[in-house]
Amino acid sequence: MQIVQTLETINVNTDDISVFQYFKDLITKNFTKVIGRKNKIFSFFEENEIPQRRYFLKVLDQKYRKSSNESIENLKDAHFKTFRLNFEQNNMLKPMLFIKTSFAGNQILMQLSSNEKLFIAYMKNYFKEHYIEYDEATSILMLKYKDENTLELFEAFADESEHLRYRVNFEVDRQEYKDFRQDIFKKENAKWKFNALAKLFNNYFAILECTPQNDLSEIRQKYLMMVKLYHPDFYQGKSAEEKAYTREQFEKIQIAYNNLKALYKNNT
């Protein structure tokens, strides 16, 4: 018996017909929202069936411990998930792959239980429009957030219990993922706001020969260089025309830098 959990489902996979029939009877007798075929049963969450669902998970954990000497992890909130029971004939159960997911900055980190080169190549192709990198030493595959499609792809990928010839168990902390999504969207909104405001400051960027892609330290370096170039003290012996021009440039540089400094400090 294999237990595979995704963000939305808990899958019970077995090649033992007696085990399949036992859990099939439990599901059909205790839950109302049930659909299925001969070898596959789905039970969807119903609010008033929480006690029965928790009991089902308790029984499932007991059966699993007897067969594997291990407990099922992360069952605390699993009663909210869709239960899926699968019967596989002739001992054709697929190899199991566990993926523990964590989040750092704008990256989704997926640690694989083993270095499966075929599966890694499959994942890289699945997220082919994104920056994705695998560290063989740590078995961690890093996926960098690109846009909202990144999260849609990740959720769809993590919600499937079968990929290629593997059964995949994704371990994802729901609250951690929720916090990651909120942080990403917050940063994206701030970035959009900054870019919108930056368009109003195009003239200031042009004066300092910079763009919104430059950070404040780069803009400051450019400012210091131009201040030295146009400082009035260096033009004491020059003509009145040159003095007027350099003073005008010097003032423009000062105004541009002060405005851009305020833009960055208030919006980044």
Side-chain angles (χ1 to χ4, degrees):
M1 183 167 61
Q2 293 177 337
I3 308 297
V4 182
Q5 292 196 63
T6 70
L7 287 171
E8 303 296 335
T9 65
I10 181 164
N11 303 274
V12 182
N13 307 308
T14 181
D15 60 353
D16 187 329
I17 188 62
S18 63
V19 172
F20 176 80
Q21 195 62 48
Y22 174 81
F23 284 114
K24 178 183 177 182
D25 290 342
L26 272 182
I27 289 173
T28 53
K29 287 178 181 178
N30 290 284
F31 308 124
T32 54
K33 292 185 177 180
V34 177
I35 61 172
R37 298 178 301 193
K38 184 177 179 181
N39 62 345
K40 192 168 291 188
I41 304 294
F42 292 84
S43 172
F44 301 99
F45 176 69
E46 179 67 39
E47 186 73 36
N48 61 10
E49 295 176 348
I50 290 178
Q52 299 99 297
R53 294 174 71 81
R54 283 180 170 157
Y55 174 75
F56 175 84
L57 292 174
K58 184 178 179 180
V59 172
L60 177 63
D61 188 49
Q62 290 172 348
K63 290 281 187 182
Y64 184 74
R65 273 185 295 177
K66 284 184 180 179
S67 65
S68 66
N69 293 320
E70 295 180 358
S71 292
I72 305 170
E73 295 183 355
N74 302 318
L75 282 184
K76 182 180 177 182
D77 296 317
H79 57 279
F80 288 108
K81 297 182 178 182
T82 297
F83 298 161
R84 186 161 71 178
L85 176 64
N86 302 301
F87 175 62
E88 300 262 349
Q89 296 182 3
N90 302 322
N91 292 316
M92 293 299 289
L93 289 177
K94 297 180 179 181
M96 191 76 179
L97 188 61
F98 294 88
I99 300 179
K100 186 174 183 179
T101 308
S102 58
F103 309 93
N106 67 340
Q107 300 173 356
I108 300 173
L109 306 176
M110 293 170 275
Q111 186 170 33
L112 280 63
S113 56
S114 60
N115 286 311
E116 300 288 339
K117 293 182 179 179
L118 176 64
F119 188 79
I120 293 161
Y122 168 75
M123 288 185 74
K124 286 183 175 180
N125 184 65
Y126 188 92
F127 296 101
K128 60 185 177 182
E129 301 299 326
H130 293 73
Y131 180 81
I132 187 166
E133 186 176 312
Y134 182 70
D135 184 346
E136 191 169 339
T138 59
S139 302
I140 292 177
L141 191 144
M142 184 275 289
L143 172 65
K144 186 175 288 188
Y145 176 85
K146 178 183 177 183
D147 50 36
E148 195 168 343
N149 186 49
T150 309
L151 300 182
E152 292 176 0
L153 281 173
F154 169 71
E155 290 173 12
F157 190 88
D159 198 43
E160 287 295 326
S161 61
E162 296 183 19
H163 291 277
L164 292 178
R165 59 183 181 85
Y166 299 92
R167 290 200 179 278
V168 184
N169 183 3
F170 261 91
E171 183 182 333
V172 183
D173 186 293
R174 287 173 173 268
Q175 186 59 49
E176 193 177 334
Y177 179 60
K178 181 180 178 181
D179 293 342
F180 173 74
R181 281 180 60 95
Q182 290 176 343
D183 186 55
I184 284 290
F185 291 147
K186 185 177 179 181
K187 288 178 180 177
E188 286 295 301
N189 287 336
K191 182 179 176 182
W192 178 88
K193 180 182 176 183
F194 174 80
N195 288 335
L197 286 171
K199 289 181 180 179
L200 302 175
F201 288 73
N202 275 342
N203 186 50
Y204 298 137
F205 281 109
I207 289 171
L208 293 178
E209 299 176 1
C210 296
T211 72
Q213 282 66 52
N214 294 116
D215 60 33
L216 187 56
S217 63
E218 293 171 322
I219 291 173
R220 177 171 171 75
Q221 288 299 316
K222 196 71 175 180
Y223 160 74
L224 292 175
M225 184 182 73
M226 297 184 77
V227 159
K228 290 180 181 179
L229 183 63
Y230 290 103
H231 199 285
D233 289 350
F234 296 114
Y235 294 88
Q236 292 296 333
K238 301 297 182 179
S239 66
E241 185 178 338
E242 282 182 289
K243 287 181 180 180
Y245 173 75
T246 55
R247 177 167 291 280
E248 181 184 0
Q249 293 302 111
F250 183 77
E251 290 175 353
K252 284 182 179 180
I253 292 165
Q254 295 285 359
I255 293 170
Y257 177 68
N258 287 334
N259 279 280
L260 291 180
K261 183 168 65 172
L263 171 68
Y264 277 76
K265 287 187 175 181
N266 292 330
N267 295 283
T268 58

